CSV table of all heavy atoms in Angstrom, one decimal:
chain,number,residue,atom,x,y,z
A,160,PRO,N,17.2,-33.1,-6.3
A,160,PRO,CA,17.2,-33.3,-7.7
A,160,PRO,C,16.0,-32.7,-8.3
A,160,PRO,O,14.9,-32.5,-7.7
A,160,PRO,CB,17.1,-34.9,-7.8
A,160,PRO,CG,16.6,-35.3,-6.5
A,160,PRO,CD,17.1,-34.4,-5.5
A,161,VAL,N,16.1,-32.2,-9.6
A,161,VAL,CA,15.1,-31.6,-10.4
A,161,VAL,C,14.5,-30.3,-9.7
A,161,VAL,O,13.4,-29.9,-10.0
A,161,VAL,CB,13.9,-32.5,-10.9
A,161,VAL,CG1,14.5,-33.7,-11.6
A,161,VAL,CG2,13.0,-32.9,-9.7
A,162,GLN,N,15.3,-29.7,-8.9
A,162,GLN,CA,14.9,-28.5,-8.1
A,162,GLN,C,16.0,-27.5,-8.1
A,162,GLN,O,16.1,-26.8,-7.1
A,162,GLN,CB,14.4,-28.9,-6.7
A,162,GLN,CG,13.3,-29.8,-6.6
A,162,GLN,CD,12.0,-29.1,-7.0
A,162,GLN,OE1,11.9,-27.9,-7.1
A,162,GLN,NE2,10.9,-29.9,-7.1
A,163,ALA,N,16.8,-27.3,-9.1
A,163,ALA,CA,17.9,-26.4,-9.1
A,163,ALA,C,17.4,-25.0,-8.9
A,163,ALA,O,18.0,-24.2,-8.1
A,163,ALA,CB,18.7,-26.4,-10.4
A,164,ASN,N,16.3,-24.6,-9.5
A,164,ASN,CA,15.8,-23.2,-9.3
A,164,ASN,C,15.2,-23.0,-7.9
A,164,ASN,O,15.6,-22.0,-7.3
A,164,ASN,CB,14.7,-22.9,-10.4
A,164,ASN,CG,13.6,-24.0,-10.4
A,164,ASN,OD1,13.6,-25.0,-9.8
A,164,ASN,ND2,12.6,-23.7,-11.3
A,165,TYR,N,14.4,-23.9,-7.4
A,165,TYR,CA,13.8,-23.8,-6.1
A,165,TYR,C,14.9,-23.8,-5.0
A,165,TYR,O,14.9,-23.0,-4.1
A,165,TYR,CB,12.8,-24.9,-5.9
A,165,TYR,CG,12.1,-24.9,-4.6
A,165,TYR,CD1,10.9,-24.3,-4.5
A,165,TYR,CD2,12.6,-25.6,-3.5
A,165,TYR,CE1,10.1,-24.3,-3.3
A,165,TYR,CE2,11.8,-25.6,-2.3
A,165,TYR,CZ,10.6,-25.0,-2.2
A,165,TYR,OH,9.9,-25.0,-1.0
A,166,SER,N,15.9,-24.8,-5.2
A,166,SER,CA,16.9,-24.9,-4.2
A,166,SER,C,17.8,-23.7,-4.2
A,166,SER,O,18.2,-23.2,-3.1
A,166,SER,CB,17.8,-26.2,-4.5
A,166,SER,OG,17.0,-27.3,-4.4
A,167,ALA,N,18.1,-23.2,-5.3
A,167,ALA,CA,19.0,-21.9,-5.4
A,167,ALA,C,18.3,-20.8,-4.7
A,167,ALA,O,18.9,-20.0,-4.0
A,167,ALA,CB,19.3,-21.6,-6.8
A,168,ALA,N,17.0,-20.6,-5.0
A,168,ALA,CA,16.2,-19.5,-4.4
A,168,ALA,C,16.1,-19.7,-2.8
A,168,ALA,O,16.3,-18.7,-2.1
A,168,ALA,CB,14.8,-19.5,-5.0
A,169,LYS,N,15.9,-20.9,-2.4
A,169,LYS,CA,15.8,-21.2,-1.0
A,169,LYS,C,17.1,-21.1,-0.2
A,169,LYS,O,17.2,-20.7,0.9
A,169,LYS,CB,15.1,-22.5,-0.7
A,169,LYS,CG,13.6,-22.6,-1.0
A,169,LYS,CD,12.8,-21.6,-0.3
A,169,LYS,CE,11.3,-21.8,-0.4
A,169,LYS,NZ,10.6,-20.8,0.4
A,170,ALA,N,18.2,-21.4,-1.0
A,170,ALA,CA,19.5,-21.1,-0.4
A,170,ALA,C,19.8,-19.6,-0.3
A,170,ALA,O,20.4,-19.1,0.6
A,170,ALA,CB,20.6,-21.8,-1.2
A,171,GLY,N,19.3,-18.9,-1.4
A,171,GLY,CA,19.5,-17.4,-1.4
A,171,GLY,C,18.8,-16.7,-0.2
A,171,GLY,O,19.3,-15.8,0.3
A,172,ILE,N,17.6,-17.2,0.2
A,172,ILE,CA,16.9,-16.6,1.3
A,172,ILE,C,17.6,-16.8,2.6
A,172,ILE,O,17.5,-16.0,3.5
A,172,ILE,CB,15.4,-17.1,1.3
A,172,ILE,CG1,14.5,-16.2,2.2
A,172,ILE,CG2,15.3,-18.5,1.9
A,172,ILE,CD1,14.3,-14.8,1.5
A,173,ILE,N,18.4,-17.9,2.7
A,173,ILE,CA,19.2,-18.1,3.9
A,173,ILE,C,20.3,-17.0,3.9
A,173,ILE,O,20.5,-16.4,5.0
A,173,ILE,CB,19.8,-19.5,3.9
A,173,ILE,CG1,18.7,-20.5,4.1
A,173,ILE,CG2,20.9,-19.6,5.0
A,173,ILE,CD1,19.2,-22.0,3.9
A,174,GLY,N,20.9,-16.7,2.8
A,174,GLY,CA,21.9,-15.7,2.7
A,174,GLY,C,21.3,-14.3,3.0
A,174,GLY,O,21.9,-13.5,3.8
A,175,LEU,N,20.1,-14.0,2.5
A,175,LEU,CA,19.5,-12.7,2.8
A,175,LEU,C,19.1,-12.6,4.3
A,175,LEU,O,19.3,-11.6,4.9
A,175,LEU,CB,18.2,-12.7,2.0
A,175,LEU,CG,17.3,-11.4,2.2
A,175,LEU,CD1,18.1,-10.1,1.8
A,175,LEU,CD2,16.0,-11.5,1.4
A,176,THR,N,18.7,-13.7,4.9
A,176,THR,CA,18.4,-13.8,6.3
A,176,THR,C,19.6,-13.4,7.1
A,176,THR,O,19.5,-12.6,8.0
A,176,THR,CB,17.8,-15.1,6.7
A,176,THR,OG1,16.6,-15.4,6.0
A,176,THR,CG2,17.6,-15.2,8.2
A,177,LYS,N,20.7,-14.1,6.9
A,177,LYS,CA,21.9,-13.9,7.7
A,177,LYS,C,22.5,-12.5,7.5
A,177,LYS,O,23.0,-11.9,8.4
A,177,LYS,CB,22.9,-14.9,7.4
A,177,LYS,CG,22.5,-16.3,7.9
A,177,LYS,CD,23.5,-17.4,7.6
A,177,LYS,CE,23.1,-18.7,8.2
A,177,LYS,NZ,23.2,-18.7,9.7
A,178,THR,N,22.3,-11.9,6.3
A,178,THR,CA,22.8,-10.6,6.0
A,178,THR,C,22.0,-9.5,6.8
A,178,THR,O,22.5,-8.6,7.4
A,178,THR,CB,22.8,-10.3,4.5
A,178,THR,OG1,23.7,-11.2,3.9
A,178,THR,CG2,23.2,-8.9,4.2
A,179,LEU,N,20.6,-9.7,6.7
A,179,LEU,CA,19.8,-8.7,7.3
A,179,LEU,C,19.8,-8.8,8.8
A,179,LEU,O,19.6,-7.8,9.6
A,179,LEU,CB,18.3,-8.8,6.8
A,179,LEU,CG,18.0,-8.1,5.5
A,179,LEU,CD1,16.5,-8.1,5.3
A,179,LEU,CD2,18.5,-6.7,5.5
A,180,ALA,N,20.1,-10.0,9.4
A,180,ALA,CA,20.3,-10.1,10.8
A,180,ALA,C,21.5,-9.2,11.3
A,180,ALA,O,21.4,-8.6,12.4
A,180,ALA,CB,20.7,-11.6,11.2
A,181,LYS,N,22.5,-9.0,10.4
A,181,LYS,CA,23.6,-8.1,10.7
A,181,LYS,C,23.2,-6.7,10.5
A,181,LYS,O,23.6,-5.8,11.3
A,181,LYS,CB,24.8,-8.5,9.9
A,181,LYS,CG,25.4,-9.9,10.3
A,181,LYS,CD,26.6,-10.3,9.5
A,181,LYS,CE,27.3,-11.5,10.0
A,181,LYS,NZ,26.5,-12.7,10.1
A,182,GLU,N,22.6,-6.4,9.4
A,182,GLU,CA,22.2,-5.0,9.1
A,182,GLU,C,21.2,-4.5,10.0
A,182,GLU,O,21.2,-3.3,10.4
A,182,GLU,CB,21.6,-4.9,7.6
A,182,GLU,CG,22.7,-5.1,6.5
A,182,GLU,CD,22.1,-4.7,5.2
A,182,GLU,OE1,21.0,-4.1,5.1
A,182,GLU,OE2,22.7,-5.1,4.2
A,183,TRP,N,20.2,-5.3,10.4
A,183,TRP,CA,19.1,-4.8,11.2
A,183,TRP,C,19.1,-5.0,12.7
A,183,TRP,O,18.2,-4.7,13.4
A,183,TRP,CB,17.8,-5.4,10.6
A,183,TRP,CG,17.3,-4.7,9.3
A,183,TRP,CD1,18.0,-3.9,8.6
A,183,TRP,CD2,16.1,-4.9,8.7
A,183,TRP,NE1,17.3,-3.5,7.4
A,183,TRP,CE2,16.1,-4.2,7.5
A,183,TRP,CE3,14.9,-5.7,8.9
A,183,TRP,CZ2,15.1,-4.1,6.6
A,183,TRP,CZ3,13.9,-5.7,8.0
A,183,TRP,CH2,13.9,-4.9,6.9
A,184,GLY,N,20.3,-5.6,13.1
A,184,GLY,CA,20.4,-5.8,14.6
A,184,GLY,C,20.3,-4.4,15.3
A,184,GLY,O,19.8,-4.3,16.4
Side-chain angles (χ1 to χ4, degrees):
V161 303
Q162 297 286 349
N164 51 356
Y165 184 91
S166 297
K169 288 302 192 183
I172 198 67
I173 293 173
L175 179 62
T176 298
K177 291 181 175 291
T178 297
L179 278 192
K181 293 177 169 62
E182 286 190 17
W183 284 10

